[in-house]
Amino acid sequence: MSFRVIDRADPGNPWFSWDYVQSNSETILAALREHTWLTAQAVLIAALVAIPLAVLAYWFRPLTGPILALSGALYTIPSLALFAFAAPYLGTGTATVLLGLVLYALLLIIRNSLAGLNQVPAEVRDAAQGMGYGRFARLIRIDLPLALPGIFTGLRLATVSTVALVTVGVLVGHGGLGQLILGGFRNNFFKAEIMTGTILCVVLALILDLILAGLGRLLTPWARRRGAAG
Amino acid sequence: MNPIDQAVTWINDPLNWTNPGGILDRLVEHLGISAAAVALGCLVAWPLGLWLGHSGRGGGAVVLVSNITLAIPTIALLTILPLTALGFGKPPVIIALAVFAVPPLLANAYTGIRQVDPEVRDAARGMGLSGGQLLRRVELPLAVPYLAAGFRTAAVQVVATAALASFVNGGGLGQIISAGFGLGISVGGGQILAGGLLVALLALVIELIFAGVERIVTPRPLRRTRRRVARQADQRAAAAITGS
């Protein structure tokens, strides 16, 4: 209890301070920009790798096990270890951070995309085949659009967890808002800086998630109608 | 010397193992922190998850907890908790890690109870079992495979995340990596890589051990189907996070 009293009596280190935010708006905005940019790049690259892999696993059943197992094994590797593996080769730059982030996002996107693709009803697939669709045409016109809800679930999960994970990049000097969080800790435990970084992180995750959710709704009007009917 | 040679040299130096703050010390620290965090997570998440599942309420709460936890950076909790009334030392680190162990434990406990066949539940009630007896004697045993799957996920996740405790000098194997970064890539490159290998290896070993434990506690007739189902429950809990 005594701690709390001391906390309140000490005006020098509050949990949140507008003064700090205003006088350091440039640093904060730079960190936020880096954070957003790293997240966007990582999720985009991960999606470009993961969705074709999911399609591969969907087309060739024997590949499903190895692809899921490999991405699952990657997921077990602690984030710090991933950065440690990459750093001696890629140096302490954004490349190291990006590699770690992409590898983590892969599993979430692959697993959910594959689940989405596998949910395409067999009758629909048969009908498409009967109408003379080839494998590629069916994938583009039928399978992928119907799997969009699954793909978007994966993208949203990957985005939210990537936003949280970017902060670990602070170890190699590119952690976006992580710089504020750890910076505050190292800077005589400056709480306002830590809290600002944390709050912005959570808010950023929330906003990106909402954007993706909205995009998903726009792209799948049929799911919306079904949802309204049911 | 390339980083791999450097790492091999570093690992082969016996002093790096036995020195104070060497690999063995850090390993013991790492496992101690992780075990305490998982135990604390179980203590909170299991009773809550079982009760929510038993009463059939709170599906939304489970999703909400997972949702929020996913968005909070581990580093944020690790840096914030020591500055509260908890003070510095091991307790804040353990609590921070326990927070990240809660979602898989909670989701699997909840799903484990919910998946019990309603007819089985009715039959038990028909035999005159009270609510508490139903939970203890029927629902809980049937949920064990799910609890085990959640425990495994949580344990691996905590061991992996515990490496981050090094950011706040909380100990553990991550400290080796952080120290390496402190030396700079050219000097500490080998140590960074060696630390990474050790942490990854530990996570993998824990994963394998608990995969075995999960298999043992699942009654043989349930193994085939339940293992797959429990894995799906993890996925579904993850999918539920985004509300789809």
Side-chain angles (χ1 to χ4, degrees):
Chain A
M1 281 319 265
S2 61
F3 274 98
R4 253 191 210 166
V5 177
I6 292 167
D7 262 1
R8 278 206 196 124
D10 175 17
N13 197 3
W15 278 109
F16 193 80
S17 144
W18 270 118
D19 271 355
Y20 161 74
V21 175
Q22 269 159 0
S23 51
N24 292 279
S25 56
E26 259 173 54
T27 322
I28 296 171
L29 278 180
L32 185 62
R33 253 198 310 274
E34 186 181 51
H35 206 110
T36 317
W37 181 226
L38 278 172
T39 307
Q41 275 178 300
V43 174
L44 203 69
I45 297 173
L48 287 179
V49 178
I51 295 175
L53 277 177
V55 169
L56 220 58
Y58 172 64
W59 276 350
F60 309 104
R61 291 287 134 178
L63 287 178
T64 306
I67 287 179
L68 283 183
L70 186 70
S71 54
L74 283 175
Y75 205 67
T76 328
I77 302 176
S79 50
L80 194 63
L82 263 184
F83 290 138
F85 289 147
Y89 297 98
L90 300 176
T92 50
T94 41
T96 300
V97 184
L98 267 181
L99 184 72
L101 294 175
V102 167
L103 288 181
Y104 268 100
L106 273 183
L107 170 76
L108 292 168
I109 303 181
I110 289 181
R111 212 160 60 175
N112 284 288
S113 303
L114 189 59
L117 284 168
N118 282 333
Q119 268 166 15
V120 175
E123 310 93 78
V124 175
R125 263 180 295 176
D126 287 347
Q129 214 142 23
M131 286 171 72
Y133 277 110
R135 192 175 244 180
F136 260 103
R138 202 187 79 195
L139 180 73
I140 303 293
R141 312 267 310 257
I142 314 267
D143 291 347
L144 278 180
L146 283 179
L148 271 181
I151 294 175
F152 266 92
T153 305
L155 286 178
R156 288 173 63 186
L157 277 174
T159 306
V160 173
S161 57
T162 301
V163 169
L165 203 62
V166 168
T167 54
V168 179
V170 70
L171 193 66
V172 287
H174 292 275
L177 295 163
Q179 256 121 254
L180 298 185
I181 296 173
L182 207 64
F185 190 80
R186 287 179 177 155
N187 186 9
N188 261 326
F189 316 116
F190 184 28
K191 291 174 185 170
E193 192 177 355
I194 299 176
M195 266 326 231
T196 309
T198 306
I199 292 171
L200 283 176
C201 243
V202 175
V203 171
L204 180 66
L206 201 74
I207 291 176
L208 292 179
D209 190 44
L210 278 177
I211 291 176
L212 279 177
L215 201 63
R217 271 176 68 91
L218 271 180
L219 289 176
T220 55
W222 62 91
R224 210 164 45 207
R225 242 175 282 135
R226 198 179 53 201
Chain B
M1 223 169 24
N2 72 40
I4 293 181
D5 288 339
Q6 273 184 315
V8 170
T9 314
W10 192 86
I11 283 201
N12 273 328
D13 184 347
L15 280 181
N16 285 334
W17 286 79
T18 51
N19 265 349
I23 297 174
L24 293 177
D25 275 5
R26 295 304 183 198
L27 182 66
V28 171
E29 259 177 358
H30 200 106
L31 291 176
I33 296 171
S34 305
V38 174
L40 183 63
C42 290
L43 218 60
V44 175
W46 274 351
L48 191 66
L50 293 175
W51 183 75
L52 287 175
H54 176 69
S55 62
R57 282 173 293 179
V62 175
V63 174
L64 192 72
V65 168
S66 318
N67 209 347
I68 294 173
T69 332
L70 194 66
I72 302 175
T74 319
I75 297 180
L77 269 193
L78 281 170
T79 46
I80 288 173
L81 287 179
L83 304 182
T84 61
L86 283 168
F88 287 83
K90 297 259 180 294
V93 174
I94 290 171
I95 292 176
L97 292 176
V99 168
F100 296 99
V102 163
L105 292 168
L106 188 67
N108 275 292
Y110 180 80
T111 322
I113 298 286
R114 291 317 304 162
Q115 52 78 37
V116 173
D117 193 339
E119 285 179 25
V120 172
R121 217 174 273 151
D122 285 347
R125 281 209 192 276
M127 287 171 68
L129 262 58
S130 71
Q133 285 173 320
L134 174 70
L135 177 62
R136 239 186 357 266
R137 309 232 306 251
V138 180
E139 291 175 328
L140 191 56
L142 286 172
V144 163
Y146 286 83
L147 292 178
F151 187 85
R152 172 185 168 188
T153 312
V156 174
Q157 205 173 304
V158 164
V159 166
T161 319
L164 296 179
S166 61
F167 279 106
V168 294
N169 258 321
L173 286 173
Q175 211 86 41
I176 294 171
I177 302 175
S178 295
F181 274 109
L183 294 172
I185 293 281
S186 52
V187 181
Q191 184 177 344
I192 296 171
L193 200 59
L197 277 173
L198 289 170
V199 172
L201 207 63
L202 182 66
L204 206 67
V205 168
I206 297 286
E207 162 90 14
L208 289 178
I209 291 175
F210 283 109
V213 171
E214 187 187 334
R215 204 179 143 71
I216 291 167
V217 300
T218 307
R220 189 161 290 127
L222 296 178
R223 261 176 212 168
R224 270 273 164 71
T225 49
R226 281 297 155 79
R227 267 227 324 263
R228 208 175 309 132
V229 170
R231 193 77 63 249
Q232 283 164 359
D234 253 4
Q235 282 180 35
R236 224 174 298 137
I241 291 169
T242 44
S244 51

